[in-house]
Each structure stands twice: as C-alpha cells, then as structure tokens.
Amino acid sequence: MDHYDVFIAGSGPTGMVLALYLAHQGVKVGIVDKTAAPGTTSRAMAVQARILELYRQIGLADEIVAAGKPNQAINLWAKGKHKAHLSLQLAGARYTPYPFILVYPQDRHEEVLVRKLEEMGVTVQRETELVGFEEHECEVTVRLRKADGTEKQCTATYLAGCDGAHSAVRHLLGGSFTGGTYDRLFYVADVEARGKAAEGEVHLSLETADFVILLPYTDTGRCRLIGTVREERADAAGQLSFEDVSHRALESLGLRVEQVHWFSTYRVHHRVTDHYRYGRAFLLGDAAHVHSPAGGQGMNTGIGDAINLAWKLAAAVRHEAPQSLLDSYEAERLAFAHKLVDTTDRLFTFVTAEGTFADFMRTRIAPIFASAAYSIDTMRELIFRIISQITINYHDSWLSAGAAGALKGGDRLPWAVQDGRDNHAPLPKIDWQVQVYGTPNDALGDWCTRHGMPLRVFDWGQGHEAAGFTRNALYLVRPDNHIALCDTGASAETLAKYFRDRAYRRFC
Ligand SMILES: Cc1cc2nc3c(=O)[nH]c(=O)nc-3n(C[C@H](O)[C@H](O)[C@H](O)COP(=O)(O)OP(=O)(O)OC[C@H]3O[C@@H](n4cnc5c(N)ncnc54)[C@H](O)[C@@H]3O)c2cc1C
C-alpha cells in the first residue's frame, strides 16, 4: 500500500498549490481528482497581489503575471454615466510589487500549476475519487475508487480535503456548512466584445436592480462578464442563453458583444464550515468556505489556506514542531473566512438589492461616496489593501507576539525596497528568517548561526521607516512571510523564549 506524508483529495487551485508548496519543502504528497482532466472554463479570474507575493517565494509570480493581464484601474458607472476611475497603481505602488488586479482565467492558471507540479515530480492521479477514510493513531487510511469501479487504499500521515464545495471529506467528517443562498440568479460569460470599455480596465456598471462586472483579459477584446439574469427568466436556469441576461448595464458601458465563447448561470452561496481541522484531516478552499464572487476573493482565499497550512504540515512531518502548530491553521484562516463572507455578503446584498431606496443608494449615493473616498489617499490605499488581501493579519494567533513601531506579530511582512534591496526577495528555500533593519547585536547573530536561522540585515533607510519598521529591531518572519515576533531590543533571549514557549523543537 502506498504511503504519503500528506494525501490531497481534489486538484483544483487549492489542492495543487498545497501540493506544490509541500513538494518544495520535501514532503511526499499524493494528490487525486475524480475528474478525467482539469477544468476548461475560466471561472475565477482575479489573482490578488498577496497571492503573487507568495508565488514569488517559489519562482512562480513572474510567469503568472506575464501570462495574465495586470488591470491597473476600476471604473464605476451608474445609470450609463461614468462616475469614478479608481487607480490601483496609485493606491498600491508603495505597498506591493504587484499594484494591480491580475486578470488570469482559472483554467490557464490550473494548467501552469499542473506543469509546475510535474516539474517537481508530482502527478495528479485522475479519475480517482476519495470515497472514504479512517483515522488511526499515527496515520489515515484512505479509500479510493477508480472510474472503472475498482477500489484501492493508501495511507497518509495527514489528509487534506481540497475537494470543493460538495466536499466528500467534509461530509465524511460530519462538518457543517452553514450559511445561505442568494435569491438572484447570476451568470458568467466569456465574450468577444467591442467598445472602449473592452480595451483595458475593469468596469462595474450599476443600473436599477441590475449590475455587470467587466474584466478584459486580453488586448483584443476578450472579456469576462459577471451579472444577473433577468428576473422573469430566472426560473428557467439550465436552459438560458446570453440573450436572457439583463443587458441594460452592458449597454450603459457602450459594449457590443460579438461572440459568446462560454455562458453559465449559477446560484451564489455563502457558507463556512465550523472546523478546519479534525485530528489528522484538514479542510481547505471551497470545501471550507464559499461566498459571492464580489471582489474576486474565492480562489485566492483557498490558495491562501493552502500556503498557510503547507509550512505547518511540513514542520509536523519533520517532527520540528508540536501538534498545536497545526491547530493555528484553523484559528488563523477560519477567522478570516468569517470576516470575508460577512464583507462580501454585505457588498453583494447592496449591489443586488431591489426597491426604490436601494436603487437610489446604489446608483446615486454610492458612486459619489466611492469617488470622494477614493480621492483621499488613505482611503484609496485601504481599499486596495483590502481587495489585494495584503491586510490579512494573524494578530490573535498563538504564533504572534510582540510589537515594534507600527508593526505587530501577525502582520504581513510589509514590502520595502531600499538601495535596490528588496526585503521580500525569496530565500533559497521556504523557511523562517530573522530580519533586522539597521545593525544586529552580536548575541542575535550568534543565536541565528547556532540554530541555522537565516539572518537578513538591511542598511537602515527611509523606505524602511515608511513601511513601519523600527531601526535595529528584530523581526522574526514565518515561512509564509507573516511576522511572528517583533522585538525592539532585538534580544536573542526573547527569540529563544519565543520558540521555547511554543515547544518548537527545531529552534530550541
Ligand atoms: C461558474 C463559476 C464561476 C466562478 N467565478 C468566480 C470568480 O469570478 N471569482 C472567484 O474568486 N471565484 C469564482 N468561482 C469560484 C472558484 O472557481 C472557486 O473558488 C475555486 O475553484 C476553488 O478552488 P478549490 O480548489 O478550493 O475547489 P475546486 O476548484 O472546486 O476543486 C475541487 C476539486 O476536487 C475534485 N473532487 C471533488 N470531490 C472529490 C473526491 N471525492 N475525490 C477526488 N476529487 C474530488 C473536483 O473534481 C475538483 O477538481 C467560480 C466558480 C464557478 C463554478
């Protein structure tokens, strides 16, 4: 019987990114999918800056950015009038190397992940469905069924359920999936369109009880549309075509749709499971949370789950850390999923609400408010930071400690470039590191050498101050580029105590 360190059910973006990060850390992974081939439809289109920052760690960001279309601005329209031009470049350039929303269809994204996995020696076992599993003291036995009905088993130290919204792993665990379903029927369409709006930036057009989001993803008029189906046609879901969608918001953009390549309707759900960890089994991605596509967060959140869990599983497999490290995955990511579902729920309900008052607020008041807010630097930056997921923090985590200047344990490591040195430049391998902006003391240097901890020292500069760092302080950075510990005194003893308190054997 084959044995894996980590066995992954589901090879959507979440499962493949988990497999990739584990393989990069030398973990033996098995990954199966019940389908014969990866999806061929575009589905999630937005890749957010935070995911690109993390992809940079494994040398994937440049390729993905080059293949996609970096969208530099969002335009807001209401009742046919252009109300606001929100520049992402202006809002994000000082926070991230990726101050844009990358529009890159999910099917192409998945093709790259499949290839990268194969380069790491990992092949997805296709037409192989997880149909059961049993947890024992030291491992999990997984039952698999091939397309021809034959069954086989394998064992794994840990099991990851990345098997989508209808997750078999979640059902077998008895996990809940509480939430609801929105009334309106939505559509997604990949089209060839003509008109100024199709030439570059993202557009959101609001009409009476109707809206459309337009995401161009080539320079030649290929676009993704997301909108609502006309109320009187919504009951015919399954037999609908592009003719049945509300065209008013589209016409307001001056858009002429010449060809429809793909059209699909769907009901949008908002649901979160109550636990992400059950002993040796974990839930990630759509298996754990689903929400409206407002803000392009769904797939990104699944990938974020995978990257959060991968380094913790790698440490557990190598017996470097206690089991409580694995509990921090649920504590950190479940809290974020609840916040995200609440926010997208409010936004989505607002954008799709019906009635005279809702219409007035959406098409008259909101655009004025958005435009005014966006003209204020701090508001503009905040909006970009939320959408791009760079504000995600784990302040309440068991792994977070200390504060120095504007930063606290749990913050994402702010991005700073000074004299050509980039503090997000990847290490040779995914690992912990200590960063000091200024001069480290000898005791800290000795501790890092003795424990094989990479120590990166940056000559203090204004760029560091602007990013919130404190001169000569110590920043302990986790393998997923979040700050674990800040210490203004840069004390080797504080660093040692951090790991001792958490029984993190590798650094004790
Ligand atoms: C029509 C459509 C439009 C969308 N538009 C957007 C959008 O605009 N923005 C956005 O952010 N998101 C969008 N999404 C959602 C986005 O596609 C998902 O959030 C994303 O795919 C989640 O990735 P995942 O890997 O967690 O799950 P999935 O992509 O669902 O992958 C799960 C995988 O598990 C496999 N599987 C299931 N059960 C088993 C089993 N028992 N054994 C083995 N394999 C199994 C499935 O075959 C599948 O390949 C859209 C989805 C759809 C369907």
Side-chain angles (χ1 to χ4, degrees), residues 303-323:
I303 294 174
D305 293 344
I307 295 171
N308 182 290
L309 182 61
W311 69 268
K312 296 172 182 173
L313 283 174
V317 163
R318 290 192 294 255
H319 305 290
E320 288 175 359
Q323 285 288 313

Side-chain angles (χ1 to χ4, degrees), residues 10 12-14 33-35 44 106 129-130 162-164 224 286 298-299:
T14 304
D33 200 288
K34 64 181 181 183
T35 60
Q106 186 174 332
E129 182 177 2
L130 177 146
C162 304
D163 46 349
R224 151 64 71 88
D286 275 19
M299 180 188 70

Side-chain angles (χ1 to χ4, degrees), residues 141-160:
T141 305
V142 181
R143 199 153 54 83
L144 302 168
R145 186 175 299 144
K146 303 287 291 177
D148 62 8
T150 55
E151 288 201 2
K152 64 172 186 174
Q153 293 192 345
C154 67
T155 56
T157 311
Y158 296 104
L159 171 68

Side-chain angles (χ1 to χ4, degrees), residues 5 14 48 75 100 137 163-164 205 227 324 345 359 392 416 424 440 445 454:
D5 294 328
T14 304
Q48 302 294 354
N75 292 277
F100 44 76
E137 197 183 336
D163 46 349
S205 169
S324 42
D345 184 33
D359 176 46
I392 293 179
H424 274 206

